[in-house]
Amino acid sequence: MLARIPSRLDLKSASLAQLYAFGQVAIANAAPVRGSAVAVIGLGALGLGTIEQSASQGFVPIAFSNSGRNTRIARMLGAAHCFRKDDRRISEKLAKAVLQQIGTIILTTNSWADWDLALRIASKNATICVLGFPGR
């Protein structure tokens, strides 16, 4: 990708623009229904951008991470619920907190454990968008 960056734009912010766009493409391709839950596994630059975009487009973002710092940021960006990925009771807690099924999952990490989590929380006929492929 080749882009002209305006001089007034902070270069650190500009470097994240393409990563931010990946989340938007995942949401667009999954085509969730407004008001539905969108699970985002991993809260690095990809995940946090996807949380923010999900919230701003009228979805209910649900964040999964083991980073307390990034979980706090996800809440500020609009995450309705945040869960630790390594919580052994995650399915039980998810069922109590989120009353709707999760039909869209966006996986932003490269961990096989996170891929397993995506499969466990997916409702029937869910769409899983893979932005970080396990084993890469």
Side-chain angles (χ1 to χ4, degrees):
M1 181 173 119
L2 181 60
R4 185 178 305 265
I5 301 172
S7 60
R8 67 184 187 287
L9 186 63
D10 173 52
L11 293 179
K12 287 181 183 178
S13 298
S15 69
L16 297 175
Q18 186 62 35
L19 293 178
Y20 197 81
F22 288 146
Q24 175 56 42
V25 169
I27 293 167
N29 286 338
V33 175
R34 297 269 186 254
S36 66
V38 173
V40 179
I41 300 175
L43 296 178
L46 285 171
L48 290 171
T50 304
I51 289 287
E52 183 176 28
Q53 291 180 69
S54 303
S56 70
Q57 293 178 42
F59 305 111
V60 179
I62 302 169
F64 294 85
S65 178
N66 289 338
S67 167
R69 176 183 174 270
N70 291 1
T71 297
R72 287 188 296 278
I73 294 169
R75 286 190 191 282
M76 290 187 300
L77 295 174
H81 303 282
C82 297
F83 298 95
R84 286 191 59 84
K85 296 185 302 181
D86 61 0
D87 188 334
R88 291 181 180 208
R89 297 177 48 220
I90 197 165
S91 295
E92 177 185 328
K93 290 179 180 180
L94 187 60
K96 286 181 182 177
V98 181
L99 302 179
Q100 56 186 297
Q101 294 187 345
I102 299 177
T104 302
I105 300 161
I106 301 175
L107 181 63
T108 69
T109 69
N110 64 351
S111 159
W112 286 110
D114 291 349
W115 177 251
D116 180 66
L117 173 61
L119 294 173
R120 285 187 288 124
I121 66 172
S123 63
K124 184 177 181 179
N125 297 319
T127 299
I128 300 175
C129 301
V130 182
L131 298 181
F133 191 76
R136 69 177 153 145

